[in-house]
Amino acid sequence: MTTPLVLATIFLLHIVVPPALQPPNWSGTWTSRPAEDVEVIRLTPGTGAARGWRPFIEALTRKPLYEIAVTQEADQVVIAFPGGETNMLTVPGFAMAAAPSDHVVDRGEWWTNSRTMAEWTGATLELTATTYTGWWRSAAPADVQPRPTDFHMRFVLSQGEVPDELVLHATLTDEKGEVEYRQRFRRAP
């Protein structure tokens, strides 16, 4: 049974933040056909990398179907890419915060830190992450700052041309160079 207080709260929320102004909820499973849905914008080789990010793009566009799962909550956004935790694009979560958040994974003698952040700009969601590693015997994650050659990701999620289309604009950077691409996804049934 809906109480008058609940109805009043819903009414006030629609006045304060009309549905058209609320950020979209990207939660769910999304599919892409990379051969048709991936557009490479820029591919720049880094130092000492013969092929740079080209093998990544070649492998991505050879896949007949590519599926991601997005979990969007008030305090974080998680995108699970194919392969889950073994995929370098999957990080523990992008923190919805004013400052980046660290996610440390203990891998035995060494550690991995993913420094993440998520921010809304209108109906567009920007996700950033820098992943770097170190040996416990050398330094704790809190004592280490990322280097320019560490792995940096920037994802911008936005509405596609139709309501159930998501556009992932990705920029990936490390010692191999930089790749920028756009990939269209459709909500899975």
Side-chain angles (χ1 to χ4, degrees):
M1 181 173 176
T2 307
T3 66
L5 178 61
V6 171
L7 290 174
T9 303
I10 292 171
F11 177 75
L12 286 174
L13 283 174
H14 281 283
I15 291 174
V16 174
V17 183
L21 298 179
Q22 293 176 1
N25 187 337
W26 300 116
S27 290
T29 302
W30 299 84
T31 59
S32 174
R33 289 182 166 50
E36 305 161 14
D37 295 331
V38 172
E39 172 193 1
V40 177
I41 299 165
R42 183 177 60 248
L43 190 58
T44 308
T47 57
R51 298 193 66 214
W53 282 96
R54 188 170 305 285
F56 170 82
I57 291 295
E58 290 170 354
L60 174 62
T61 56
R62 274 196 309 267
K63 295 183 184 302
L65 192 66
Y66 193 86
E67 187 174 279
I68 61 172
V70 178
T71 304
Q72 181 179 326
E73 298 171 350
D75 61 340
Q76 76 170 355
V77 175
V78 176
I79 302 177
F81 288 88
E85 292 179 12
T86 63
N87 187 320
M88 67 182 175
L89 302 180
T90 300
V91 297
F94 296 91
M96 297 289 279
S101 177
D102 287 346
H103 304 275
V104 177
V105 177
D106 184 344
R107 305 208 183 260
E109 292 185 25
W110 59 291
W111 49 264
T112 301
N113 188 10
S114 295
R115 184 166 288 167
T116 68
M117 192 168 163
E119 184 175 35
W120 285 103
T121 304
T124 300
L125 180 59
E126 182 176 346
L127 310 170
T128 57
T130 299
T131 301
Y132 52 104
T133 62
W135 297 98
W136 287 109
R137 68 175 182 263
S138 299
D143 299 330
V144 177
Q145 291 301 310
R147 298 176 308 255
T149 54
D150 288 327
F151 182 44
H152 302 275
M153 295 186 298
R154 179 177 178 261
F155 299 134
V156 177
L157 303 178
S158 61
Q159 174 73 48
E161 295 176 6
V162 294
D164 279 340
E165 186 176 80
L166 170 68
V167 176
L168 171 72
H169 188 133
T171 305
L172 311 175
T173 308
D174 70 0
E175 75 279 354
K176 292 186 297 297
E178 182 174 82
V179 63
E180 181 180 359
Y181 66 95
R182 209 175 355 256
Q183 185 170 4
R184 287 179 303 135
F185 289 87
R186 281 156 288 298
R187 192 178 290 276

